[in-house]
Amino acid sequence: MIADPVPAAAHARTILAAHEHRRPIAPLTSWDPALDLPAAYRVAEAVRGLRAARGERVVGRKIGFTNTTLWDRYGVRAPIWGYVYDTTLRAHAVSAGPVALSAFVEPRIEPEIVFGLARTPEPGMDAAALIGCVAWAAAGFEIVQSLYPGWRFTAPDTVAAFGLHGLLVVGERVPIAADERSAWIGRLERFSVDLLRDGMRADRGGGRNVMGAGPLAALGHLVDVLANDPAAPPLAAHEIITTGTLTDALPLAPGEFWRARFDGLPLPDIDLALI
């Protein structure tokens, strides 16, 4: 006999309590087999409501599992998405200071490309139309976390738990001028990035790791997904969108110094110190 599904609000309270107390929990799907992806997004909306009630404001979205080279490891076959809040955003990496890892559960780091939207993208847009909706691009670090021990979960578990989002650190914003848009399309597919830990290369990645075609493809995927979900608000002008990791997601420890160094994109390096 299959147990009745757990209400989204109950799962949302469980997730927020685990995060606030830095307490790992068993994957939700291990005790609620009815939690599929649509149900998990309802949990995410319930979490958003609880966070809004205590004063947190949505400032953008994160797209996860866009790096197709990692799909087999995590048992996924499509990206997910979650919210970025004013409380989970550091908009100026240079002046932000070190990040305290005590705020996260099993944190890992992901170098990503971040977009700032100038206008609302529409479903079905090609790369030329999408880049026209982007005001600026920046290098970013997303600190992701797993409330589930050992990073063992299913896709619905991750959606319910903030899309694994912990903190987004955004580097220098580089405007995308109208006469540079065509060049940016090619750069965003072909660039490479070195992820350095304490001055030594820890991993290497690039644009094609994201959806096989670069960060713009991740943005287009999210626009199309939201268009088919009447419960999810569409993207809006001025939202900040982070498009998924370009390398493996690597574990973090206090005292480390991380840098992402880009080749083929006119973006300054981004640095992050940990305490």
Side-chain angles (χ1 to χ4, degrees):
M1 182 177 181
I2 299 176
D4 291 335
V6 178
H11 277 318
R13 290 191 294 269
T14 297
I15 289 293
L16 279 176
H19 173 61
E20 290 166 358
H21 296 287
R22 318 295 187 257
R23 183 183 70 245
I25 59 174
L28 302 182
T29 54
S30 68
W31 50 278
D32 182 7
L35 188 74
D36 56 10
L37 273 173
Y41 278 111
R42 290 195 293 272
V43 174
E45 284 301 311
V47 168
R48 180 172 72 97
L50 292 173
R51 296 183 82 153
R54 64 189 192 185
E56 296 182 74
R57 180 172 57 87
V58 171
V59 295
R61 320 288 173 101
K62 63 83 44 90
I63 318 173
F65 295 136
T66 60
N67 189 327
T68 57
T69 70
L70 304 177
W71 280 7
D72 286 343
R73 183 185 308 177
Y74 293 111
V76 299
R77 287 293 176 269
I80 63 167
W81 68 273
Y83 292 106
V84 177
Y85 298 87
D86 56 350
T87 54
T88 66
L89 174 70
R90 289 196 177 194
H92 304 286
V94 174
S95 60
V99 169
L101 292 181
S102 58
F104 310 102
V105 182
E106 295 192 35
R108 298 187 181 189
I109 194 167
E110 298 182 346
E112 307 194 5
I113 298 300
V114 183
F115 294 136
L117 295 183
R119 59 187 61 87
T120 300
E122 297 178 1
M125 279 184 164
D126 61 13
L130 281 171
I131 198 73
C133 297
V134 178
W136 54 264
F141 277 133
E142 186 181 15
I143 295 182
V144 289
Q145 62 175 341
S146 174
L147 300 177
Y148 313 114
W151 279 71
R152 296 183 182 278
F153 41 62
T154 68
D157 294 311
T158 68
V159 167
F162 322 125
L164 304 179
H165 175 65
L167 181 72
L168 178 62
V169 181
V170 181
E172 181 180 336
R173 301 179 179 189
V174 177
I176 298 179
D179 60 355
E180 283 286 303
R181 289 171 182 163
S182 179
W184 271 93
I185 292 172
R187 292 167 181 162
L188 284 165
E189 181 177 353
R190 296 188 298 268
F191 76 93
S192 62
V193 59
D194 286 322
L195 179 60
L196 309 177
R197 180 201 297 116
D198 297 330
M200 302 294 292
R201 184 195 287 176
D203 203 359
R204 196 162 202 267
R208 289 191 177 97
N209 282 356
V210 177
M211 306 291 290
L216 275 177
L219 176 61
H221 173 85
L222 177 60
V223 173
D224 292 343
V225 166
L226 295 177
N228 290 305
D229 184 355
L235 300 181
H238 309 302
E239 281 200 56
I240 293 172
I241 313 298
T242 189
T243 55
T245 189
L246 302 163
T247 67
D248 199 355
L250 299 182
L252 299 176
E256 292 175 340
F257 181 82
W258 290 81
R259 169 171 291 170
R261 186 171 60 205
F262 292 81
D263 183 24
L265 274 182
L267 296 179
D269 295 351
I270 182 171
D271 297 334
L272 186 65
L274 304 174
I275 56 175

